[in-house]
Amino acid sequence: MLVLNEKDMMLAADLSEIMDAIEKAHIIFREDKCYLPDRYLVCDNNKIMMYMPCYANGVIGTKMLAEFPENPKKGLPYLSGLMILNNYETGATEAVMKGETLTALRTGAAGGVAIRHFAHENSHSVGLVGCGVQGLYQLIYACEVRDIKSIYLFDAYAKNLEPFIDKLKKAISTKEIQIHICEDAAELLSHSEIVITATQAREPLFVNDAKLLEGKCFVAIGSWQPHMREMPDAIWSLVDNVYTELPFACEESGDLSQPLEKGLLTMDRVKFMGDFLKDKSNGNIPKLGSTRYYKSVGMGIFDLMAAQVIFNKSKEKKIGTEIVW
Ligand SMILES: NC(=O)c1ccc[n+]([C@@H]2O[C@H](COP(=O)([O-])OP(=O)(O)OC[C@H]3O[C@@H](n4cnc5c(N)ncnc54)[C@H](O)[C@@H]3O)[C@@H](O)[C@H]2O)c1
């Protein structure tokens, strides 16, 4: 059994390989070529354990993630966990890898895929609201897929963004990019062509004014429960459609369930990324308006496909620790 820690995983596969795996995951899901039950939550008050099993593409995997909201106050990560890969023929455990690293890599890649297809080609600025673990990886992928020259940051609670900026600079060290800290989300919005939100917010992060949102590419990844919101209702007067991963997102995320309940959004405007990618690869490029919106809640097949490419590349490059038990 191969054990992969964070360092191993970062060395194994490059960003574009993980984005390609996420594109494949979107398509497999929409072609119904996987078994992907809704994620199973075990909760004790606000402490959540998530279990995300999936079968697809000749591999079986389960991610187990702990989401403990009090952790950041204790200086501990909000998310932690484990990914297990099993052999499709025998069920034998083939690999164990760090769940929080996989989550950040695959969620960053999902945002990267959205920017690849939805952000205007000549976008040079990206804003991030929520400078935590997911936010860091969202920016790393954004810089991979567009020629970013300016990054704008805003976080309502982080008192000191220097450690975040240090990590970001290390990760994008080969690029000449200006990094700016904003006073509030409105300042960030006014400067950014691509806007990423990666928070645990319960109220929209931006003022409900369509003029301020117009023409931008939004990637909202934070809201994954009905009481969580990042995007204001004004977005619905600007976009023809919202793109997401799976129908369950409409129940899970307040960014979708609340406007659906209010009638601001109707199901015919909820589109799936896998269908978009299939249409595009068949030469039917779906028409996009000037404002674009990708709402992510994540799905177990992202973990499976990202873990598979990391595992295969690790074996090829002889990375990781083999354990016999
Ligand atoms: N879509 C997906 O696939 C996916 C995957 C993993 C995590 N998530 C979600 O993304 C969110 C962020 O996760 P993380 O691991 O980066 O957490 P984190 O705690 O590392 O980072 C979140 C950051 O957002 C900031 N923040 C919180 N509320 C804010 C607000 N109202 N305005 C501005 N900043 C705010 C916090 O201060 C923190 O710095 C969580 O809700 C998590 O569940 C989504």
Side-chain angles (χ1 to χ4, degrees), residues 159-177:
K159 292 187 181 74
N160 175 12
L161 288 183
E162 287 312 317
F164 180 89
I165 293 174
D166 285 347
K167 283 188 214 154
L168 179 60
K169 280 185 175 161
K170 261 191 211 133
I172 55 168
S173 58
T174 52
K175 303 185 172 141
E176 276 288 310
I177 300 177

Side-chain angles (χ1 to χ4, degrees), residues 39 50 65 67 72 78-79 103 106-107 129-135 154-158 198-203 205 220-224 228 230 245 295-299 302:
R39 64 180 136 222
M50 283 191 267
L65 221 51
E67 187 148 340
Y78 178 68
L79 293 175
T103 301
R106 67 76 145 153
T107 309
V129 184
C131 303
V133 177
Q134 309 313 319
F154 173 66
D155 194 294
Y157 304 108
T199 72
Q200 297 90 347
R202 291 168 176 232
E203 301 292 335
L205 297 164
I221 71 135
S223 154
W224 68 280
M228 297 173 87
E230 293 188 309
E245 292 114 12
K295 169 63 211 143
S296 168
V297 292
M299 54 180 177
F302 283 175

Side-chain angles (χ1 to χ4, degrees), residues 176-210:
E176 276 288 310
I177 300 177
Q178 300 290 319
I179 301 174
H180 312 267
I181 298 175
C182 298
E183 286 294 311
D184 51 32
E187 182 191 345
L188 177 142
L189 199 56
S190 70
H191 292 293
S192 310
E193 292 157 295
I194 301 166
V195 179
I196 299 167
T197 58
T199 72
Q200 297 90 347
R202 291 168 176 232
E203 301 292 335
L205 297 164
F206 309 109
V207 173
N208 194 30
D209 180 346

Side-chain angles (χ1 to χ4, degrees), residues 2-262:
L2 190 64
V3 177
L4 297 169
N5 63 21
E6 178 169 1
K7 193 167 158 231
D8 301 329
M9 293 170 74
M10 298 306 290
L11 289 172
D14 62 36
L15 300 177
S16 65
E17 286 167 331
I18 302 179
M19 282 189 283
D20 293 345
I22 295 300
E23 292 204 0
K24 207 164 157 188
H26 276 299
I27 291 170
I28 290 176
F29 174 71
R30 288 304 288 169
E31 288 180 341
D32 212 10
K33 291 183 180 154
C34 61
Y35 176 68
L36 176 70
D38 294 345
R39 64 180 136 222
Y40 189 72
L41 303 186
V42 176
C43 307
D44 182 9
N45 292 316
N46 63 354
K47 295 175 179 169
I48 303 174
M49 289 299 302
M50 283 191 267
Y51 297 89
M52 301 165 75
C54 184
Y55 270 73
N57 207 39
V59 68
I60 311 164
T62 307
K63 189 173 77 171
M64 287 166 271
L65 221 51
E67 187 148 340
F68 280 40
E70 300 305 317
N71 273 5
K73 285 185 212 149
K74 302 175 190 164
L76 297 170
Y78 178 68
L79 293 175
S80 62
L82 201 65
M83 176 76 191
I84 302 175
L85 281 182
N86 297 85
N87 184 286
Y88 203 78
E89 302 304 324
T90 65
T93 307
E94 287 198 307
V96 173
M97 58 187 85
K98 192 170 172 178
E100 53 268 53
T101 307
L102 181 68
T103 301
L105 282 170
R106 67 76 145 153
T107 309
V113 165
I115 295 171
R116 227 186 212 178
H117 294 281
F118 297 153
H120 300 280
E121 281 294 332
N122 55 356
S123 300
H124 298 301
S125 56
V126 55
L128 170 71
V129 184
C131 303
V133 177
Q134 309 313 319
L136 175 69
Y137 283 81
Q138 294 292 318
L139 288 177
I140 294 170
Y141 280 95
C143 293
E144 179 72 12
V145 291
R146 286 293 179 272
D147 180 18
I148 298 298
K149 300 199 186 302
S150 304
I151 293 177
Y152 295 88
L153 304 174
F154 173 66
D155 194 294
Y157 304 108
K159 292 187 181 74
N160 175 12
L161 288 183
E162 287 312 317
F164 180 89
I165 293 174
D166 285 347
K167 283 188 214 154
L168 179 60
K169 280 185 175 161
K170 261 191 211 133
I172 55 168
S173 58
T174 52
K175 303 185 172 141
E176 276 288 310
I177 300 177
Q178 300 290 319
I179 301 174
H180 312 267
I181 298 175
C182 298
E183 286 294 311
D184 51 32
E187 182 191 345
L188 177 142
L189 199 56
S190 70
H191 292 293
S192 310
E193 292 157 295
I194 301 166
V195 179
I196 299 167
T197 58
T199 72
Q200 297 90 347
R202 291 168 176 232
E203 301 292 335
L205 297 164
F206 309 109
V207 173
N208 194 30
D209 180 346
K211 282 197 297 297
L212 305 177
L213 311 174
E214 199 167 4
K216 300 179 190 295
C217 173
F218 290 92
V219 176
I221 71 135
S223 154
W224 68 280
Q225 291 196 293
H227 63 272
M228 297 173 87
R229 283 293 297 269
E230 293 188 309
M231 292 301 294
D233 288 338
I235 190 75
W236 304 115
S237 66
L238 294 171
V239 296
D240 295 333
N241 301 306
V242 56
Y243 284 86
T244 187
E245 292 114 12
L246 72 178
F248 190 46
C250 296
E251 290 170 48
E252 263 200 323
S253 167
D255 272 338
L256 299 177
S257 67
Q258 292 184 24
L260 279 166
E261 265 165 36
K262 286 194 241 170

